[in-house]
Amino acid sequence: MTETDPGAGSDLRGTDARDGDGADASAPPAGDDDALVEVRGLRKYYYEDDTLIDRLLRREPTSIQAVDGVDLDIERGETLGLVGESGCGKSTTGETLLRLRDATDGSVRFDGEDVLSMGSSELRRFRKRAQIVFQDPFSSLDPRMTVGDVIAEGLKIHDLPAADPDVAVEADVTVDGDADVEVTVDDDVDTAVESEGGVARVPVRVDATGAGATGSADGGTRADGGPTVSFGRYDDVLAAEVTPRDGGYDVHVSVGASKRTLRRERARTLLERVGLSAGQIDRYPHEFSGGQRQRVGIARALALDPEFIVLDEPVSALDVSVQAQILNLLDDLQSEYGLTYLFIAHDLSVVRHICDRVAVMYLGEVVETGTTEELFESPKHPYTEALLESVPRADTSEQGRRVETLSGDVPSPRDPPSGCRFRTRCPEVIPPAGVAVDQSTYRSVMDLRDRLRRGDFGTGVVWEAVGDPDREDTEAFKREVRAEFGLDGLTGANGDTVEDALEVLANGREREAAERLTERFESVCETEEPVLPDEPHPAACHLYDDERAAAGVDDDADPVTDPEFGGAGMAAGMETPDPEAAGGELPDGVSDPEHGVSDGDSSDADDADDHDASEDDRDGSEP
Amino acid sequence: MADSTGPLDRLFGAVDRVRGALTVSPRTVRNLKSEYRTSALSKVGVALILVVVFMAVFAPFIAPQNPTTQNLDNGRLPPLGFTQTEQQTQTQMVNGSIQTVNTTETVNATLAHPLGTNSLGQDMLARVIYGARTSLLVGLLGTSLAALLGVSVGLTAGYYRGRVDDTLMRFADVSLAFPSLVLAIALIGVWGRASVSVPDPFVVAGVVDPVRSALGLPTPMPDTFVLPGTVIVVVGLVNWVWFARVARGEALSIREEEFVKAARALGADDARVVLRHVLPNATTPILVLATIQVASIILLESSLSFLGFSGTTLSWGFDIAQGRAYLASAWWIATVPGLAIVLTVVGINLVGDWLRDALDPGIEGEGGM
Amino acid sequence: MSRDPTDAEPAGAPAGSPDDVLRVRNLTTRFFTEEGQVNAVEGVDFDVRDGEVFGIVGESGSGKSVTALSVIDLVESPGRITDGEVWYREPDLAAEFEDDVPAAVDGEFVDVRRLPEGVRRSLRGPSFSMIFQDPMSSLNPSVTVGEQIAEAVEVQRRASANPRRTRSRTQGYGLGRLLVDTLVPGRGYTSEASEARAVELLEQVGIPDPAERADEYPHQFSGGMLQRAMVAQALAGEPDVLIADEPTTALDVTIQAQILNLLRDLQAEQDTSVVMITHDLGVIARMCQRVGVMYAGQVVERGTLADVFDDPVHPYTEGLLGSIPDMDEPASRLEPIEGNVPSLLDSEMGERCYFADRCPKAMEDCLRPIPMYDAEGSDEHETRCVLAVEEYDEAAALPDGYFESEPDSASESGSADDPAAGEEVSTGD
């Protein structure tokens, strides 16, 4: 099967939605201090080259580790920002934790329940509580549906509105004129009336002044010869039955509209709530501008009254002025409904504006997390620093500012760097003790070593450049390589090692040259994958190893990952019934459809990467 | 055609009003209109189709004769405006020796048979009019069957991808490898030539005879109509692959749209996603393909009838086969139905082109400014 | 397009700074679509000086990209440049056309729009060149990167081999030539010299192993690398004016910073003038000395960076600046401009300030076309807003909802409903 959740089985439709509803509301969160969403060791791998021919040839599929061991905690009511460059796996993380893609490994707990192992009815309930808003306002709305249908779709799927047994129904009765009126209200009126704090208040206005007169101006229900009853804004959806009795009337209020009408009413309300007009309910998405479509997307997410919304780059496709409108709207909705957001973005100024805490991702891993203030004011990880440095500020002081840029591109996710994934671009790679060279020369040596190790150095090209096809003039060869890689600044033992290695290289022994260089120049950043420590403002970077060692940070005192949960989480991840979970182990890539990297997946996959040492290391270090 | 309110404009007006229900965007309607106005060919196509549809529906009223009535005395009458000189060669035994006697006989066209008659004296015009029924019904029902099958398979394969896709599409590719006519003949060979007699609703309602009498046309007309059941099933089975391929391609791309992800996030099951989101957005190319398929199925039906594999004798293809023997002496017997096929197929293809140009998915669905 | 140059009234080059390399006046481009006439660019004026970076900033639909295309004459059907002059300082060209097309020449300046089609085309590359937003679709996927750059070099080489005869630079590439090139191996449009130059250019824009990368196809390049290659291609002609249309929008910030540094270095090195078109005020701030703000096809405010960023007069400029979250001093709430960018359909554009319907300070005086006024600040500072010449007067303010009662021909786009609704809701609850 595909990535579609097996959960939404049609057998369940309509039968236990109501019960489900009740269960949701009756299972209040265990405590306010634990996170609403806890992600542990989340991995999502894609496999490519999984064609028929590959399978016939029993070729190992190349894995692309889009998300590799991500841990996140999202507290109730907060906005957690997830930032990183395109391809770092941030969107994949968002979709995987909602189970829109199947995780390869790891665990996701939502309000204490393990999302990845949910059965179909649990998943169905989860879908009501966790929603998503997408980036592209043009592809995220079905062009063939009116916005009203788009917004009401979730309600229709869950056969809502349904009466909630936990919501009490009360009538706010106003009587005009002199009459003794007794009002009774059906239990299921809460399907039509908005509830607040567990009570649905029905505004009932009984106009007894004209009792006996015929017709009423306000279109309210008029019983024969009796008083007129109106419900304010609920006039269209409620009905009243008036029975005269001794000295007064009995008024019985019930739902007077079909579910379809109620859903439409809800869609109207939501349209207005997100800043559109209810009159636009029958328009098609193409009749709206980008910002308006994004509002519709938000209304769709709100329709099911979720607690948690993944906002996947909700404003990056919008113009700045419209972007600000949407950010303000998201802000308002959060405080109004007490929503929890996971805000995925690449625009740091937006993140700074809206997020309470931020996690920075690079190549499928979280490299730093902290409160927005901490992270922006005192970034720890060199990557975070570089990101912040790179953003152009809209201020005159920005003029002519020269940014120290990161070198090169994000490495290929198929062949990620060993150790710290950021080391190939890092301006602060740590040289081994005793090797004192400046950063740029050290980087040059590392680049040379990486090239040699990957085997794409191309000795021939150098000889060509030297103009010595017979490969005799080793001095010229060395000069050429030194010039190309900028190795001239090396002296002493460092210089000797390089001299030595180049000599070997000139003789065509690339591997040996690489070994000689590595022996002297290998950095801790290459050999050891840095781990995100358990501290208030952690950064996965070796620069802080000493600091931490000095402070005597003790792994036991780790409030976030309690070992029991970690174990349970992993186990749960393993026993996920989904075949996907095991997908990683299918060596010949037996066509598990999920893993064929085809159009859609590859875009995300393009980018991620890597190596699983980190998770194991982390687990190992915890107890 | 003037820009003011022609019948088609009124039709478009109606479409405009109900577009909400049809989920046709105003842009689509606008494109249809402007394509229609600017392209003379699409007008020709629409006109041809309307004529054929009219003939098929009202056949009992407009056919000048009963198409099945034989009159051997009137065999091989030429169409109006033509005279036929028939040279008959008779071999006689005269005085113990064999002699060949040539007699020349001139046959004139009659108004009762404007397009002439076939060798059995059946009226060609009536046969063409009734043949339109067979062709259109087989074309439409066959295409519907093919579309139903193909779209189901294609959407399933495209939506689920992976092994499901591989299996289904490999199967489709294999079916595609057989020439359709050969495959159809093989299937008919296995299943026989079943046909269904459908009562003609107009005749059953008893409205045909009075009208015809009033118009001075001969009665009675055939009260049943023979639908070549096997042929419909067979052409459907032969042509589903095209629909499967198109639907699969659409499903593959639509399933990656964010609105599909959004529906799944809302808890929609696969059936809902496919039927409510994927299928409606795939209709345009499927519709365009369907028009073209109707034409190709009509051709296939004619070929089968020509080869004698159909279950009905009231078919353009059957008539061509009948006329083949007389091509030299009575060219119209094969030519008239042949022309009918050509005009119908050309008409349908022109309409298909019009739809394709107007519904180009590249134009559709883009938002305003 | 094929207007007869001799018919044009002799106007002469407009006044401006002596450093100007380009003076654009009253540039007007319209698109004739099925929905109606779209006024994408409406009387745009700006100057570009020697060796400066001039910024044009605006939101989508403001006409900034069409302005760029209009300047280098690349507007395609259904669009058409309907009016305007593009004066370009090029003494050689001026001398050449002084006699043939006197109306197009004034001193060292030439009105490019009055020159014959072939000449205008020959200016692309050696005189004007452009970098586009999406490098992936701007390079031909089936030709190696090196060859594409070499082609641009070749154009320049042929042009400079015959500098005085602009008309001979038609660079025709006919079918015959194509056949020969395809059939005879190793015989391309490009020469070995231009291929070598291409490698040099790739190195110049910071692509490692340029010789190897030159033989690769665009899909083998990352986004940042492709944008570098595009820059190399644009620089191949050593253009006087480089137009960069959202050159970094598709890139990540760290790569964006690389490309911006690169552009600045190259610009300083070659003394090229750059027109930087973007929606990102940060990029403008980092790169540009002078800025024009566009809204609904018009330049609404223009001046030095300090004029526009520190003392904006036009409420749109203010709104734009207020919409951006400040990364260093975050405010608790943004102050967005309500509503949406107008449709630009001619039938929906009234005779008024186009921003009035979204403007918090709209007054009765705004209900007429607004000319450019001088504003405080430097001499350069001008704005298309009455607030430059009068104070905001509550008494003359337009009542709320004034524009909603306008004939709602905009209903299709739904834009009319939004501002009011947005306002009401965001404060109401």
Side-chain angles (χ1 to χ4, degrees):
Chain A
M1 300 297 280
T2 36
E3 323 191 44
T4 13
D5 44 78
S10 52
D11 52 320
L12 289 157
R13 178 168 300 176
T15 55
D16 81 7
R18 255 163 229 253
D19 301 349
D21 241 3
D24 281 350
S26 62
D32 267 338
D33 49 344
D34 57 354
L36 178 64
V37 182
E38 288 177 326
V39 180
R40 289 291 174 272
L42 189 68
R43 284 159 210 265
K44 174 65 184 171
Y45 295 175
Y46 295 100
Y47 295 85
E48 61 171 15
D49 295 341
D50 191 22
T51 63
L52 188 65
I53 298 191
D54 288 326
R55 259 173 275 149
L56 288 176
L57 296 177
R58 305 243 155 207
R59 234 180 251 164
E60 284 270 337
T62 319
S63 73
I64 300 165
Q65 291 121 345
V67 178
D68 197 41
V70 162
D71 294 358
L72 293 172
D73 284 295
I74 309 173
E75 310 287 338
R76 277 171 213 282
E78 80 165 351
T79 303
L80 175 69
L82 193 56
V83 296
E85 296 180 279
S86 56
C88 68
K90 54 189 192 302
S91 290
T92 309
T93 304
E95 288 176 12
T96 309
L97 70 82
L98 286 185
R99 241 178 104 173
L100 291 174
R101 297 174 183 279
D102 286 286
T104 308
D105 194 8
S107 79
V108 176
R109 295 206 157 204
F110 181 83
D111 201 8
E113 286 179 86
D114 189 338
V115 174
L116 301 185
S117 62
M118 277 181 181
S120 60
S121 64
E122 290 154 311
L123 190 63
R124 219 173 129 78
R125 246 174 285 143
F126 170 69
R127 295 262 176 252
K128 274 199 287 185
R129 304 177 66 191
Q131 276 299 312
I132 183 165
V133 173
F134 292 99
Q135 168 178 6
D136 181 357
F138 290 93
S139 108
S140 62
L141 304 182
D142 188 337
R144 303 276 171 171
M145 285 171 107
T146 63
V147 299
D149 289 341
V150 167
I151 296 171
E153 181 169 25
L155 299 172
K156 191 157 187 227
I157 290 169
H158 292 275
D159 197 26
L160 295 175
D164 185 338
D166 293 323
V167 173
V169 179
E170 283 178 20
D172 280 349
V173 186
T174 324
V175 181
D176 295 336
D178 191 23
D180 177 15
V181 177
E182 191 75 22
V183 177
T184 52
V185 183
D186 269 357
D187 273 349
D188 66 350
V189 164
D190 64 320
T191 56
V193 175
E194 273 185 67
S195 63
E196 232 183 297
V199 181
R201 299 192 166 275
V202 188
V204 183
R205 188 182 192 91
V206 183
D207 183 359
T209 51
T214 50
S216 70
D218 62 359
T221 313
R222 205 183 65 79
D224 208 22
T228 47
V229 181
S230 59
F231 306 101
R233 53 187 284 230
Y234 299 113
D235 266 352
D236 292 342
V237 291
L238 295 181
E241 191 186 329
V242 180
T243 330
R245 67 171 154 77
D246 219 14
Y249 302 97
D250 280 334
V251 176
H252 182 77
V253 180
S254 57
V255 178
S258 66
K259 279 202 171 180
R260 196 185 127 69
T261 313
L262 293 175
R263 285 197 284 261
R264 232 177 119 75
E265 279 305 308
R266 173 106 172 106
R268 281 174 193 279
T269 313
L270 284 165
L271 269 177
E272 286 187 343
R273 183 62 201 88
V274 297
L276 298 170
S277 81
Q280 292 169 314
I281 190 168
D282 288 323
R283 295 211 182 150
Y284 285 88
H286 71 85
E287 298 174 64
F288 293 86
S289 68
Q292 291 172 319
R293 295 171 63 128
Q294 204 59 307
R295 290 174 191 267
V296 174
I298 293 170
R300 168 175 59 195
L302 287 176
L304 292 173
D305 264 329
E307 292 150 65
F308 172 61
I309 302 184
V310 173
L311 301 162
D312 189 357
E313 305 245 18
V315 296
S316 24
L318 307 176
D319 282 316
V320 276
S321 68
V322 179
Q323 166 177 314
Q325 295 171 7
I326 300 291
L327 289 175
N328 282 347
L329 173 67
L330 289 171
D331 231 2
D332 295 341
L333 294 171
Q334 181 167 41
S335 43
E336 189 178 332
Y337 299 114
L339 296 167
T340 304
Y341 289 153
L342 174 62
F343 192 97
I344 299 169
H346 68 270
D347 184 336
L348 290 155
S349 50
V350 168
V351 167
R352 168 107 218 220
H353 176 76
I354 202 167
C355 299
D356 302 311
R357 287 195 310 122
V358 181
V360 181
M361 281 187 78
Y362 186 79
L363 268 181
E365 294 178 342
V366 173
V367 296
E368 180 168 0
T369 64
T371 64
T372 309
E373 183 79 14
E374 284 169 344
L375 199 117
F376 279 78
E377 296 301 329
S378 51
K380 280 178 159 179
H381 198 284
Y383 177 63
T384 315
E385 284 174 16
L387 271 183
L388 294 177
E389 165 85 2
S390 302
V391 179
R393 273 72 165 171
D395 191 284
T396 38
S397 62
E398 177 77 10
Q399 183 158 33
R401 182 165 75 93
R402 194 171 177 88
V403 174
E404 280 314 313
T405 58
L406 291 178
S407 58
D409 281 317
V410 181
S412 160
R414 287 162 197 84
D415 181 23
S418 61
C420 172
R421 289 180 183 184
F422 184 57
R423 68 171 173 86
T424 55
R425 302 174 75 200
C426 183
E428 296 177 63
V429 181
I430 306 163
V435 176
V437 290
D438 65 278
Q439 185 64 220
S440 72
T441 314
Y442 184 71
R443 164 151 307 286
S444 305
V445 176
M446 196 157 91
D447 287 347
L448 174 61
R449 285 193 290 128
D450 275 339
R451 290 275 295 280
L452 289 170
R453 192 156 40 191
R454 284 204 307 268
D456 63 352
F457 177 76
T459 327
V461 179
V462 180
W463 283 114
E464 226 170 81
V466 172
D468 184 5
D470 303 329
R471 309 196 170 188
E472 279 162 359
D473 190 354
T474 49
E475 284 311 312
F477 178 90
K478 286 188 270 186
R479 263 200 310 280
E480 178 70 23
V481 176
R482 280 172 190 280
E484 198 183 323
F485 285 85
L487 303 175
D488 288 325
L490 290 164
T491 50
N494 298 331
D496 296 345
T497 310
V498 171
E499 174 67 28
D500 201 25
L502 290 184
E503 183 71 38
V504 173
L505 183 59
N507 292 324
R509 303 200 298 273
E510 291 190 19
R511 191 172 297 267
E512 194 183 332
E515 275 162 20
R516 295 208 180 179
L517 286 172
T518 302
E519 212 170 296
R520 176 152 186 89
F521 291 101
E522 188 165 60
S523 162
V524 61
C525 301
E526 303 167 56
T527 49
E528 270 179 55
E529 175 144 9
V531 174
L532 204 61
D534 295 312
E535 55 188 34
H537 175 188
C541 179
H542 291 302
L543 285 174
Y544 300 94
D545 285 354
D546 294 345
E547 207 177 286
R548 270 198 290 273
V553 172
D554 184 27
D555 281 335
D556 295 336
D558 154 17
V560 185
T561 16
D562 92 72
E564 195 200 332
F565 170 73
M570 293 305 293
M574 294 307 194
E575 75 203 11
T576 302
D578 283 328
E580 332 303 352
E585 284 126 49
L586 299 175
D588 51 356
V590 178
S591 78
D592 183 342
E594 229 39 80
H595 298 299
V597 171
S598 51
D599 321 339
D601 287 346
S602 62
S603 59
D604 292 78
D606 252 2
D607 323 25
D609 182 329
D610 179 15
H611 155 322
D612 12 0
S614 73
E615 175 61 28
D616 302 336
D617 288 353
R618 200 168 316 153
D619 282 356
S621 66
E622 271 161 13
Chain B
M1 209 174 274
D3 262 348
S4 57
T5 54
L8 212 84
D9 278 287
R10 255 172 274 145
L11 175 70
F12 281 132
V15 169
D16 249 327
R17 280 189 291 281
V18 297
R19 73 183 156 78
L22 295 176
T23 69
V24 176
S25 74
R27 189 180 290 261
T28 309
V29 176
R30 211 159 42 221
N31 289 337
L32 278 172
K33 275 191 231 178
S34 77
E35 272 297 324
Y36 182 77
R37 292 223 178 83
T38 53
S39 146
L41 285 178
S42 60
K43 292 176 194 167
V44 173
V46 169
L48 284 171
I49 301 295
L50 287 179
V51 168
V52 176
V53 170
F54 183 79
M55 290 195 320
V57 173
F58 298 107
F61 301 106
I62 57 176
Q65 308 284 338
N66 186 324
T68 54
T69 307
Q70 299 186 3
N71 182 350
L72 293 176
D73 296 341
N74 273 342
R76 287 183 271 157
L77 287 180
L80 280 178
F82 295 91
T83 34
Q84 175 71 358
T85 352
E86 273 189 21
Q87 291 206 332
Q88 285 188 336
T89 308
Q90 286 182 321
T91 315
Q92 291 175 321
M93 189 79 114
V94 178
N95 298 334
S97 67
I98 297 170
Q99 286 190 339
T100 313
V101 178
N102 288 338
T103 52
T104 308
E105 191 185 332
T106 306
V107 187
N108 282 314
T110 64
L111 238 131
H113 303 287
L115 291 183
T117 58
N118 65 10
S119 54
L120 299 173
Q122 293 163 330
D123 181 56
M124 287 310 300
L125 179 56
R127 291 190 68 82
V128 165
I129 288 172
Y130 269 85
R133 284 192 157 185
T134 312
S135 291
L136 276 194
L137 274 172
V138 173
L140 291 177
L141 293 176
T143 305
S144 305
L145 182 68
L148 191 73
L149 256 173
V151 169
S152 315
V153 169
L155 289 182
T156 311
Y159 185 74
Y160 289 104
R161 303 186 305 191
R163 217 176 296 174
V164 178
D165 184 22
D166 284 350
T167 314
L168 288 173
M169 294 327 283
R170 250 8 107 235
F171 181 62
D173 289 344
V174 170
S175 345
L176 210 55
F178 288 100
S180 50
L181 191 59
V182 174
L183 187 58
I185 290 171
L187 288 174
I188 291 173
V190 174
W191 293 336
R193 299 181 298 180
S195 53
V196 187
S197 278
V198 184
D200 187 317
F202 294 117
V203 177
V204 172
V207 290
V208 172
D209 286 357
V211 173
R212 288 187 69 92
S213 309
L215 293 173
L217 293 170
T219 53
M221 297 304 276
D223 53 2
T224 57
F225 169 76
V226 180
L227 205 55
T230 320
V231 171
I232 291 171
V233 174
V234 163
V235 294
L237 289 180
V238 167
N239 282 276
W240 68 276
V241 184
W242 303 106
F243 286 94
R245 296 212 74 88
V246 168
R248 169 180 175 269
E250 290 296 310
L252 274 178
S253 77
I254 294 167
R255 79 185 299 284
E256 300 302 337
E257 298 275 347
E258 283 182 348
F259 63 78
V260 169
K261 262 189 234 163
R264 288 175 39 215
L266 290 170
D269 51 25
D270 292 355
R272 182 178 176 89
V273 170
V274 171
L275 296 178
R276 288 303 304 270
H277 296 287
V278 180
L279 181 59
N281 284 288
T283 46
T284 300
I286 291 172
L287 191 69
V288 172
L289 174 68
T291 23
I292 294 159
Q293 282 295 307
V294 170
S296 93
I297 284 184
I298 286 176
L299 282 176
L300 183 57
E301 185 274 333
S302 300
S303 312
L304 288 173
S305 298
F306 178 84
L307 296 173
F309 289 98
S310 178
T312 175
T313 55
L314 253 184
S315 157
W316 293 339
F318 181 82
D319 282 357
I320 296 177
Q322 296 296 300
R324 190 181 47 155
Y326 306 97
L327 259 186
S329 56
W331 51 267
W332 59 89
I333 301 177
T335 312
V336 167
L339 213 59
I341 293 173
V342 169
L343 291 177
T344 308
V345 169
V346 166
I348 292 172
N349 280 317
L350 290 177
V351 169
D353 287 350
W354 166 45
L355 289 179
R356 192 196 53 220
D357 291 346
L359 305 181
D360 186 337
I363 303 167
E364 252 250 309
E366 287 298 305
M369 299 202 49
Chain C
M1 290 277 158
S2 59
R3 76 191 226 180
D4 186 354
T6 51
D7 280 354
E9 71 289 358
S17 155
D19 300 338
D20 290 343
V21 61
L22 200 64
R23 290 178 191 159
V24 175
R25 289 294 175 272
N26 193 31
L27 192 62
T28 304
T29 303
R30 306 196 188 294
F31 284 79
F32 301 93
T33 68
E34 265 174 50
E35 284 87 358
Q37 175 185 328
V38 176
N39 301 341
V41 178
E42 178 94 354
V44 162
D45 302 349
F46 63 89
D47 302 327
V48 182
R49 305 205 176 127
D50 274 331
E52 78 162 351
V53 182
F54 179 75
I56 296 180
V57 65
E59 298 182 278
S60 61
S62 64
K64 54 189 193 304
S65 293
V66 182
T67 302
L69 293 173
S70 304
V71 168
I72 62 169
D73 197 18
L74 280 179
V75 177
E76 288 186 358
S77 176
R80 193 148 51 81
I81 304 169
T82 54
D83 201 4
E85 296 159 13
V86 178
W87 291 93
Y88 167 51
R89 198 184 71 214
E90 167 65 284
D92 289 347
L93 201 63
E96 188 182 334
F97 285 95
E98 211 159 13
D99 301 329
D100 295 0
V101 197
V105 179
D106 184 14
E108 294 191 333
F109 279 89
V110 185
D111 180 5
V112 176
R113 298 244 315 118
R114 287 192 172 95
L115 297 179
E117 165 80 41
V119 179
R120 274 183 279 155
R121 192 177 59 216
S122 72
L123 292 175
R124 281 178 229 142
S127 294
F128 306 108
S129 149
M130 189 150 173
I131 306 174
F132 297 92
Q133 169 175 350
D134 180 5
M136 203 45 123
S137 67
S138 307
L139 289 171
N140 183 340
S142 59
V143 178
T144 63
V145 172
E147 202 176 331
Q148 296 188 55
I149 295 167
E151 223 171 276
V153 173
E154 191 78 4
V155 169
Q156 160 69 5
R157 222 175 44 80
R158 292 179 190 195
S160 51
N162 216 344
R164 299 258 322 167
R165 300 307 309 165
T166 318
R167 270 172 289 191
S168 64
R169 307 181 194 168
T170 34
Q171 311 139 17
Y173 192 85
L175 186 61
R177 191 67 205 272
L178 174 71
L179 278 174
V180 173
D181 288 354
T182 320
L183 297 177
V184 182
R187 195 201 134 108
Y189 177 70
T190 55
S191 64
E192 224 161 87
S194 49
E195 271 158 29
R197 171 79 183 127
V199 173
E200 239 171 77
L201 282 164
L202 283 175
E203 182 157 27
Q204 203 180 345
V205 296
I207 291 182
D209 312 318
E212 281 171 46
R213 303 305 298 257
D215 291 335
E216 292 183 1
Y217 290 89
H219 70 90
Q220 293 166 286
F221 277 51
S222 69
M225 286 296 158
L226 270 184
Q227 198 56 285
R228 285 170 189 269
M230 278 254 294
V231 173
Q233 193 185 28
L235 291 175
E238 288 164 21
D240 291 340
V241 180
L242 176 64
I243 298 172
D245 185 6
E246 303 265 13
T248 59
T249 304
L251 308 174
D252 286 314
V253 275
T254 58
I255 309 293
Q256 163 172 298
Q258 293 174 0
I259 299 288
L260 292 181
N261 281 355
L262 171 74
L263 277 174
R264 193 154 54 196
D265 292 348
L266 293 171
Q267 187 249 339
E269 226 169 82
Q270 306 196 345
D271 205 33
T272 304
S273 304
V274 176
V275 180
M276 173 72 83
I277 293 167
T278 178
H279 70 280
D280 188 333
L281 291 159
V283 170
I284 292 280
R286 188 178 293 176
M287 299 293 289
C288 305
Q289 287 88 50
R290 294 190 310 125
V291 190
V293 180
M294 285 192 73
Y295 182 78
Q298 295 180 323
V299 173
V300 294
E301 185 150 12
R302 182 169 58 205
T304 62
L305 188 70
D307 288 337
V308 173
F309 277 59
D310 294 342
D311 302 304
V313 174
H314 202 290
Y316 176 67
T317 316
E318 281 184 70
L320 213 49
L321 289 162
S323 298
I324 310 169
D326 189 328
M327 212 169 85
D328 300 315
E329 296 156 39
S332 64
R333 204 164 170 86
L334 300 173
E335 284 159 26
I337 309 169
E338 295 302 340
N340 294 295
V341 177
S343 73
L344 301 185
L345 271 180
D346 187 54
S347 52
E348 291 170 19
M349 305 298 283
E351 287 280 299
R352 59 166 169 86
C353 167
Y354 294 152
F355 187 61
D357 58 339
R358 300 173 72 189
C359 184
K361 293 180 178 174
M363 295 185 285
E364 280 156 17
D365 285 351
C366 303
L367 299 176
R368 58 181 172 87
I370 312 292
M372 266 322 215
Y373 293 109
D374 278 327
E376 284 176 31
S378 76
D379 293 345
E380 310 268 349
H381 196 185
E382 288 179 90
T383 181
R384 200 178 282 280
C385 180
V386 294
L387 292 175
V389 290
E390 58 182 283
E391 288 291 303
Y392 175 60
D393 178 8
E394 288 272 359
L398 294 172
D400 278 354
Y402 176 86
F403 289 98
E404 278 153 64
S405 50
E406 269 191 351
D408 184 13
S409 45
S411 66
E412 186 91 330
S413 70
S415 57
D417 308 16
D418 193 42
E423 183 89 282
E424 182 186 287
V425 170
S426 55
T427 53
D429 295 64

